[in-house]
Amino acid sequence: MEPLNGPIRWGLAGTGSIVKSFATDFARAGEGEIVAVASRSQDSADAFAAAHGIERAHGSYAALAADPDVDIVYVGGINPVHAPQTVMFLEAGKHVLVEKPIALNTREVDEMIAAAAANDRFLMEAMWMRFNPASVDAVARIHDGAIGEVRRVLADFSFNLPYDPESRLFDPTKGGGALLDVGIYPYTLAWWILGEPDTTTAAGHLADTGVDDAISLLCGWESGASAALTAGVRVPGTMTARIEGSEGVVEFPLPAHAPDHFVLTQGFDEETVRHEPPGLHYQAIEVHRRLRAGERESARMPLATSRAMTSHFDALRAQLGVVYPAD
Ligand SMILES: NC(=O)c1ccc[n+]([C@@H]2O[C@H](COP(=O)([O-])OP(=O)(O)OC[C@H]3O[C@@H](n4cnc5c(N)ncnc54)[C@H](OP(=O)(O)O)[C@@H]3O)[C@@H](O)[C@H]2O)c1
């Protein structure tokens, strides 16, 4: 694989809230440059480019794909555009970092992985939690045995929004639902710590639009470890996580998916471990490293894991009765 030499030139696909956060945090990545932004609307692209000091503003996503001076695209639109946009950019010869969830279902992930392979391009799901320093350190310590054998993971990502059937979180045509939008974080945490669950079941409440707005997931591993994970977009939750082992406990305070510290308890000793604040740039730094090395995916967020997790989500959605137009 050919390494990318010279400047790494990013294009942004979308002008919504996560793309704004990415553009802001990117300044802390240390290298690379955002050279273009695209939107369905030229006005939105122009306004975004002006606000963030970006050279070129495209009034369509196809125009960004055709921009010869873009190496990698950050796909930050709503969930249903992840797969089609990613495939379009890969086929245009761009590398792609795509927001979580990587896609709506396994069939879409397979199309994305096939397009990355066919075009020899880098592809990674932007699961930023896996790159935030406090999360990385805590999981490394757990893997090194800091709390003995992990027995249980208890984690929540829930908040209570007013019901709005048009919002991307509640509208099935926009890929709404708690599992894919926020449940993915506690699920990723448990998977990161313990590997792929051997069994997993879901129960929960559906909004009138048919998407899940409050869910509980129960995961089991052959070792006897288990996880109780909750997520919701219309239910107040703690947004914390607690990993319990035979010799100790790790606790992530709110917000557990993006912490700047954690508390490690070993016997009677309790230590608060502090880190740099979380940010969307840590995943960009990983992308830069992989591109410089000529690699086409990251071992820290492998495509096989994104695919396997999506297949679990397909099964959990079937249990809950949540169906998307793309299914
Ligand atoms: N990593 C994180 O912490 C985090 C946090 C929040 C959200 N997310 C993820 O980021 C994605 C976007 O969420 P958001 O909160 O930024 O949403 P948002 O503020 O509602 O923005 C919607 C985004 O979708 C784009 N878009 C493209 N095609 C669209 C279409 N056909 N209809 C509607 N919008 C379209 C919009 O761009 P234009 O209007 O410019 O075309 C805009 O960038 C989701 O996949 C979500 O899961 C990640």
Side-chain angles (χ1 to χ4, degrees):
M1 309 277 181
E2 235 174 78
L4 181 61
N5 299 312
I8 300 178
R9 302 163 304 176
W10 287 76
L12 306 181
T15 54
S17 81
I18 197 63
V19 186
K20 285 194 184 89
S21 300
F22 185 85
T24 305
D25 287 0
F26 190 83
R28 291 155 66 196
E31 71 163 332
E33 193 188 349
I34 298 171
V35 298
V37 60
S39 169
R40 290 165 297 165
S41 132
Q42 187 66 52
D43 286 350
S44 285
D46 288 342
F48 193 101
H52 294 275
I54 297 170
E55 277 168 34
R56 290 189 298 290
H58 297 294
S60 76
Y61 294 106
L64 176 60
D67 186 332
D69 296 317
V70 167
D71 303 302
I72 173 154
V73 175
Y74 171 68
V75 174
I78 55 173
N79 301 341
V81 307
H82 291 184
Q85 287 192 6
T86 294
V87 170
M88 176 179 71
F89 291 125
L90 290 167
E91 286 178 347
K94 313 301 183 199
H95 306 287
V96 174
L97 173 67
V98 53
E99 256 309 325
K100 45 58 59 177
I102 186 168
L104 290 173
N105 57 40
T106 312
R107 177 187 54 76
E108 288 191 338
V109 182
D110 284 339
E111 287 166 12
M112 297 158 90
I113 292 174
N119 293 285
D120 190 24
R121 287 297 175 266
F122 177 89
L123 175 61
M124 188 178 93
E125 181 177 12
M127 175 35 80
W128 67 310
M129 185 175 71
R130 281 186 180 258
F131 303 94
N132 282 324
S135 303
V136 170
D137 182 27
V139 173
R141 289 183 193 223
I142 291 168
H143 285 161
D144 285 348
I147 59 170
E149 260 184 53
V150 175
R151 301 273 197 250
R152 291 197 305 186
V153 177
L154 309 172
D156 174 73
F157 195 151
S158 307
F159 44 78
N160 199 7
L161 285 182
Y163 177 57
D164 172 3
E166 313 249 301
S167 107
R168 72 167 188 84
L169 291 171
F170 291 103
D171 182 347
T173 70
K174 294 178 183 158
L179 176 63
L180 292 198
D181 215 86
V182 285
I184 192 170
Y185 287 105
Y187 213 75
T188 294
L189 183 64
W191 189 303
W192 194 7
I193 291 166
L194 286 161
E196 181 170 359
D198 295 310
T199 59
T200 181
T201 55
H205 180 264
L206 304 190
D208 289 347
T209 52
V211 303
D212 50 307
D213 60 12
I215 55 168
S216 299
L217 310 174
L218 190 58
C219 307
W221 287 260
E222 273 173 18
S223 65
S226 60
L229 312 172
T230 50
V233 292
R234 199 158 49 135
V235 60
T238 63
M239 293 186 74
T240 59
R242 180 178 162 92
I243 299 99
E244 300 168 338
S246 55
E247 316 291 333
V249 175
V250 164
E251 286 169 289
F252 287 109
L254 173 155
H257 72 295
D260 64 1
H261 71 280
F262 60 90
V263 178
L264 172 63
T265 305
Q266 295 166 304
F268 293 107
D269 295 334
E270 187 182 289
E271 182 191 358
T272 298
V273 183
R274 297 191 186 281
H275 280 277
E276 289 293 310
L280 296 165
H281 58 293
Y282 292 108
Q283 58 191 350
I285 293 170
E286 170 68 0
V287 172
H288 293 161
R289 286 199 187 115
R290 303 284 67 85
L291 292 178
R292 292 297 188 212
E295 294 168 15
R296 294 302 180 242
E297 66 176 299
S298 165
R300 296 173 67 187
M301 183 65 263
L303 291 169
T305 302
S306 294
R307 185 192 185 278
M309 200 170 296
T310 307
S311 74
H312 281 231
F313 293 160
D314 289 351
L316 292 167
R317 282 197 295 115
Q319 291 175 27
L320 291 163
V322 176
V323 180
Y324 296 119
D327 288 336

